[in-house]
């Protein structure tokens, strides 16, 4: 039996974002008889580190806290590559694309490199200057550096093609959700509602997303204020990094709602499979920047219809299981919430079943992971065919130039 091929995942951080979660899911579902996943985080250890370790995968952290530490991080990454001898390098997010590929290309026998793209918008107001320069540099290198570029959304493909990423190298592989972990769960629904003091039968509209301009919480709260003009019984729950009353801006937005006691901010949660089932309706108020939101994949896997803004491929996720409204339009968002919650009970039941089926058919992880594995296998095989018989036996033993 052939030894599993080492796949080195290089990622910018191990925070609670979509790229980090998607990488964790790929590592969790990788066929260990074929591939051995190994993870390197450029930044210090983050919340997802424990999840990586639970898979049994090796984890290295370069502890890079600023660009001044780039030389040390680069040297450390090269040493890790020399140690693990990757058959392929998969990078996640722009900083990892640059550092990971640069390190891989320092070896005489360069392993195949796959970039991963999650962004679908470039917002200069919320992107650091050095990050913007890095993106421009990557657009110039995209033709020569990566062997393939896995892109999570059609919107992201168009955006990156426009700045110079070669279309022929981009492959559309959607994000997805673990439909075993994320599913309708009456016990979890009851448990969360009881813990929050929400009465049985009360309706809940929920959103998962970090406190970031991209998620547009001012739009969410403006819609809540409009909605509560006629309905002060429905509860709203928001969770994500920084989504707490400790944030002065969110605290003020909540206090300005007609019924602030019906608006709950739960902060970051690592038990989302126990949280989503308590919702009746999922929502996403983003203004820009979404690729294919994992939170929506997870929500529909739990049988939740949704109301989302038309940003990135959010509309493709929801499909016929909810409504899509323009971004930055709180009146439209509130109106869509009302319309959805006023659906007859029988239609609502069919909608929930349809949402769950959509997740299983389009966004289930086994099929998505299989696409990544097929891509890896084809690139590894192609790289092997380029070597003559004298180097084939040491194909994945890097030799520093």
């Amino acid at each position: 039996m052939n030894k599993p091929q080492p796949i080195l995942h290089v990622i910018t951080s191990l925070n609670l974002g979509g790229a980090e979660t998607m990488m964790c899911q790929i590592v969790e579902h990788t066929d260990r008889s074929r591939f051995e996943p190994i993870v390197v985080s450029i930044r210090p250890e983050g919340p997802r580190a424990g999840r990586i370790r639970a898979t049994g995968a090796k984890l290295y952290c370069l502890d890079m806290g600023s660009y001044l530490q780039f030389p040390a991080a680069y040297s450390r990454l090269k040493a890790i590559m020399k140690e693990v001898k990757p058959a392929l390098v998969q990078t996640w997010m722009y900083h990892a694309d640059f550092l990971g590929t640069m390190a891989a290309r320092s070896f005489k026998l360069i392993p195949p490199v796959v970039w991963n793209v999650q962004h679908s918008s470039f917002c200069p107001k919320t992107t650091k200057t050095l990050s913007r320069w890095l993106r421009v540099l990557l657009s110039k290198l995209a033709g020569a550096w990566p062997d393939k570029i896995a892109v999570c959304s059609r919107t992201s493909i168009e955006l990156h093609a426009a700045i110079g990423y070669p279309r022929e190298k981009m492959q559309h592989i959607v994000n997805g959700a673990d439909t075993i972990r994320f599913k309708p769960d009456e016990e979890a629904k009851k448990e969360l509602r009881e813990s929050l003091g929400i009465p049985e039968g009360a309706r809940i509209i929920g959103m998962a997303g970090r406190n970031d301009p991209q998620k547009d919480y001012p739009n969410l709260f403006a819609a809540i204020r409009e909605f509560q003009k006629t309905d002060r019984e429905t509860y709203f729950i928001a969770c994500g990094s920084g989504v707490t009353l400790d944030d002065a801006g969110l605290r003020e937005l909540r206090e300005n709602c007609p019924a602030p006691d019906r608006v709950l901010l739960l902060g970051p949660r690592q038990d989302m499979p126990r949280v989503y089932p308590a919702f009746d309706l999922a929502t996403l108020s983003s203004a820009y920047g979404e690729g294919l939101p994992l939170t929506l994949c997870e929500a529909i896997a739990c049988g939740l219809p949704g109301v989302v803004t038309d940003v990135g491929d959010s509309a493709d996720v929801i499909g016929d299981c909810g409504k899509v409204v323009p971004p930055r339009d709180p009146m439209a968002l509130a109106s869509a919430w009302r319309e959805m919650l006023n659906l007859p009970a029988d239609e609502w039941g069919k909608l929930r079943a349809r949402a769950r089926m959509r997740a299983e058919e389009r966004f289930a992880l086994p099929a998505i992971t299989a696409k990544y594995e097929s891509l890896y296998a084809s690139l590894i095989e192609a790289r092997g065919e380029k070597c003559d018989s004298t180097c084939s036996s040491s194909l994945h033993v890097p030799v520093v130039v």
Side-chain angles (χ1 to χ4, degrees), residues 212-270:
D212 183 276
Q214 173 187 317
K215 304 302 180 182
D216 202 357
Y217 272 95
N219 179 40
L220 177 73
F221 277 93
I224 291 173
R225 289 196 297 273
E226 176 63 27
F227 183 89
Q228 289 186 338
K229 289 178 180 179
T230 58
D231 183 336
R232 298 192 182 186
E233 298 303 316
T234 296
Y235 282 77
F236 290 87
I237 291 178
C239 50
S241 180
V243 184
T244 73
L245 293 178
D246 291 335
D247 182 90
L250 292 182
R251 186 168 62 249
E252 182 179 0
L253 288 170
R254 179 179 179 272
E255 289 172 353
N256 289 332
C257 292
D261 60 311
R262 293 294 191 270
V263 183
L264 309 179
L265 307 183
L266 305 186
R269 303 281 299 219
Q270 297 207 48

Side-chain angles (χ1 to χ4, degrees), residues 112-268:
V113 175
V114 178
W115 289 358
N116 185 281
V117 170
Q118 298 282 325
H119 285 75
S120 73
S121 175
F122 302 143
C123 182
K125 292 182 179 180
T126 59
T127 305
K128 295 178 181 178
T129 301
L130 285 174
S131 295
R132 294 202 299 271
W133 288 349
L134 178 59
R135 187 168 57 228
V136 172
L137 176 60
L138 288 172
S139 72
K140 307 299 183 184
L141 298 172
W145 272 25
D147 293 84
K148 279 288 186 178
I149 305 170
V151 188
C152 72
S153 71
R154 294 183 179 87
T155 306
S156 298
I157 289 175
E158 296 304 319
L159 180 73
H160 287 79
I163 66 170
Y165 279 54
R167 286 184 181 273
E168 64 272 15
K169 283 194 174 183
M170 290 192 276
Q171 181 171 335
H172 183 207
I173 306 180
V174 299
N175 290 339
D178 187 335
T179 54
I180 303 299
R181 295 177 63 232
F182 291 92
K183 61 184 184 300
D185 188 331
E186 287 299 318
E187 180 183 342
K189 176 179 180 178
K190 181 179 179 182
E191 181 181 290
L192 185 75
R193 286 175 176 243
E194 287 180 350
S195 70
L196 297 175
I198 298 176
E200 184 178 352
R203 296 178 299 182
I204 298 175
I205 298 174
M207 172 166 152
R210 67 190 182 281
N211 184 10
D212 183 276
Q214 173 187 317
K215 304 302 180 182
D216 202 357
Y217 272 95
N219 179 40
L220 177 73
F221 277 93
I224 291 173
R225 289 196 297 273
E226 176 63 27
F227 183 89
Q228 289 186 338
K229 289 178 180 179
T230 58
D231 183 336
R232 298 192 182 186
E233 298 303 316
T234 296
Y235 282 77
F236 290 87
I237 291 178
C239 50
S241 180
V243 184
T244 73
L245 293 178
D246 291 335
D247 182 90
L250 292 182
R251 186 168 62 249
E252 182 179 0
L253 288 170
R254 179 179 179 272
E255 289 172 353
N256 289 332
C257 292
D261 60 311
R262 293 294 191 270
V263 183
L264 309 179
L265 307 183
L266 305 186

Side-chain angles (χ1 to χ4, degrees), residues 7-15 20 23-24 27 32 36-63 76-77 80 83-84:
I7 305 297
L8 186 67
H9 294 269
V10 183
I11 192 162
T12 303
S13 75
L14 292 174
N15 293 328
E20 295 91 337
M23 184 206 66
C24 284
V27 170
R32 300 303 176 92
E36 178 193 0
I38 302 158
V39 178
V40 175
S41 170
I42 295 176
R43 292 179 180 163
E45 186 169 307
R48 290 292 185 224
R51 185 168 174 180
I52 292 296
R53 289 197 177 95
T55 70
K58 290 181 181 178
L59 172 62
Y60 302 84
C61 293
L62 305 182
D63 297 332
R76 174 64 174 142
L77 181 55
I80 292 169
E83 175 190 341
V84 304

Side-chain angles (χ1 to χ4, degrees), residues 123 213-214 216 219 285-288 309-311 325-333:
C123 182
Q214 173 187 317
D216 202 357
N219 179 40
S285 59
S286 298
Y288 62 87
T309 52
D310 194 7
V311 176
V325 301
R328 299 187 175 94
D329 188 341
M331 298 289 284
L333 191 57

Side-chain angles (χ1 to χ4, degrees), residues 5 85 109 383-384 387-398:
Q5 300 273 23
K85 304 174 179 62
L109 296 176
R383 184 58 48 93
C387 288
D388 58 30
S389 59
T390 61
C391 74
S392 62
S393 62
S394 59
L395 173 63
H396 307 308
V397 180

Side-chain angles (χ1 to χ4, degrees), residues 52-101:
I52 292 296
R53 289 197 177 95
T55 70
K58 290 181 181 178
L59 172 62
Y60 302 84
C61 293
L62 305 182
D63 297 332
M64 181 174 160
S66 73
Y67 288 101
L68 296 177
Q69 296 172 306
F70 179 88
Y74 173 66
S75 296
R76 174 64 174 142
L77 181 55
K78 285 176 58 178
I80 292 169
M81 288 186 178
K82 188 174 182 179
E83 175 190 341
V84 304
K85 304 174 179 62
L88 180 141
V89 176
Q90 166 77 75
T91 61
W92 300 79
M93 299 191 285
Y94 298 130
H95 292 78
D97 292 343
F98 181 74
L99 184 61
T101 312

